Amino acid sequence: AAQGNLAAATASGIAGKLFVYRSYQVGEERKQSAWTVWDFGTDAMMDMKVIDDTLFICTRHIHAANGKTYARIESMDLSESPAGLVGPTNGKWNPALDHRQGPIAGSHSDGTTTWTLSVPDLTANCAVKTDGTVVAVTPNTNGTAVTASGNLSSGTYYIGRKVEAEITLSTVYARDQQGKPSLDGRTKLKKLVLNHENAGEYEIEVSNSNADCPTRTISFTPSDTTSVESLGEQTAWTHGKNTETTVKLKSTNPKPVTWVAMETHGEIDKLMEGKP
């Protein structure tokens, strides 16, 4: 059985953060648990409601240029299913964008492409064409429009603030035949094999608390850079003690990614009883 709770922080300074706790339980034993923070930046959450598998959030956004306050209602799919990954206009993939607007057709002039927004937004930083093309955009001073360099090819785009994700994996322990973690001896990690589906570009960052060990970043890119890979895997070499090694999964673009399984390879040096 899987359990999850959502809680909006209302304390000063964190009104735009949503804290999510999830756990996985078999019988009376809790197998996994994790905290997640969804950071909506300056968007203060006023109310939320879960209907079926969709989370609706009402946020308050104060426009920095004109001081006006806007209310937004945004939705988020909680089903953890690939069913919602196809774009609403049959695009190659469903853009992961906050404040998403579109599809909008841009106009070309003086070496730039401009999109006029239906709701002013100073946080928009990304435009995604329905063919999968991604371009960076810059809002004008009052957020009523965004522009990108170059006269881009005609078509319709989704505009918004790209969603960024970072997951820190829990410490890995070797386990005995009963599934109990082995705390005796030293566990050395060698490599991590990560399985994904419907994945765009992402990174695996391996760092170590030992100052002599440099941080390593392994990048995944689908063969078609305008699309996503339906099923695949990425290997990262870790080489470090389990208690000193930190592994993070990062996605810093508007493409979706689902990490579905992880396999860790390593070895354990057991301490012999009565020996140093």
Side-chain angles (χ1 to χ4, degrees):
Q3 300 175 342
N5 294 297
L6 304 173
T10 57
S12 175
I14 55 174
K17 292 183 179 180
L18 185 63
F19 293 82
V20 183
Y21 174 74
R22 292 180 178 178
S23 63
Y24 175 71
Q25 211 164 291
V26 177
E28 297 297 322
E29 184 179 2
R30 180 170 298 170
K31 295 290 188 178
Q32 289 180 317
S33 62
W35 278 100
T36 304
V37 179
W38 296 343
D39 191 344
F40 292 85
T42 57
D43 303 335
M45 284 174 283
M46 308 303 294
D47 200 359
M48 64 182 65
K49 180 77 172 179
V50 177
I51 302 177
D52 295 329
D53 290 328
T54 303
L55 170 65
F56 295 91
I57 306 174
C58 178
T59 64
R60 181 187 65 197
H61 180 72
I62 300 177
H63 202 287
N66 56 30
K68 293 182 178 180
T69 300
Y70 297 90
R72 300 177 184 270
I73 296 179
E74 304 218 34
S75 63
M76 183 179 300
D77 183 10
L78 302 178
S79 65
E80 300 184 1
S81 165
L85 296 179
V86 177
T89 58
N90 296 321
K92 284 192 173 182
W93 39 272
N94 190 12
L97 296 168
D98 289 333
H99 302 175
R100 187 170 70 184
Q101 301 186 44
I104 306 174
S107 60
H108 315 305
S109 176
D110 298 327
T112 62
T113 300
T114 302
W115 297 268
T116 301
L117 303 181
S118 58
V119 179
D121 189 357
L122 280 175
T123 67
N125 57 17
C126 192
V128 180
K129 193 178 179 182
T130 51
D131 70 355
T133 301
V134 179
V135 294
V137 300
T138 303
N140 61 8
T141 55
N142 57 17
T144 57
V146 296
T147 59
S149 300
N151 293 332
L152 303 179
S153 59
S154 60
T156 55
Y157 292 74
Y158 287 94
I159 311 294
R161 179 178 61 195
K162 62 182 179 180
V163 175
E164 299 184 3
E166 178 180 298
I167 296 176
T168 301
L169 302 181
S170 57
T171 303
V172 175
Y173 289 96
R175 295 180 179 271
D176 58 22
Q177 293 180 342
Q178 287 72 43
K180 302 292 184 181
S182 178
L183 303 179
D184 296 328
R186 181 175 61 182
T187 298
K188 296 185 292 185
L189 305 179
K190 289 189 174 181
K191 70 175 181 178
L192 170 75
V193 180
L194 187 66
N195 294 97
H196 59 249
E197 64 180 27
N198 297 296
E201 292 83 357
Y202 68 83
E203 295 178 345
I204 305 174
E205 180 187 280
V206 182
S207 60
N208 197 291
S209 58
N210 187 332
D212 294 330
C213 298
T215 298
R216 302 182 301 281
T217 300
I218 300 89
S219 299
F220 167 77
T221 302
S223 56
D224 179 358
T225 56
T226 64
S227 189
V228 295
E229 184 171 273
S230 57
L231 290 171
E233 67 179 32
Q234 180 68 38
T235 298
W237 296 98
T238 50
H239 294 302
K241 290 178 61 176
N242 62 329
T243 55
E244 297 177 351
T245 304
T246 299
V247 179
K248 293 183 179 181
L249 312 181
K250 295 183 176 182
S251 173
T252 58
N253 61 80
K255 291 185 178 181
V257 57
T258 303
W259 295 299
V260 295
M262 177 186 71
E263 181 180 290
T264 304
H265 295 242
E267 60 185 28
I268 182 171
D269 293 334
K270 297 287 288 185
L271 298 177
M272 296 179 62
E273 186 176 353
K275 301 292 183 180

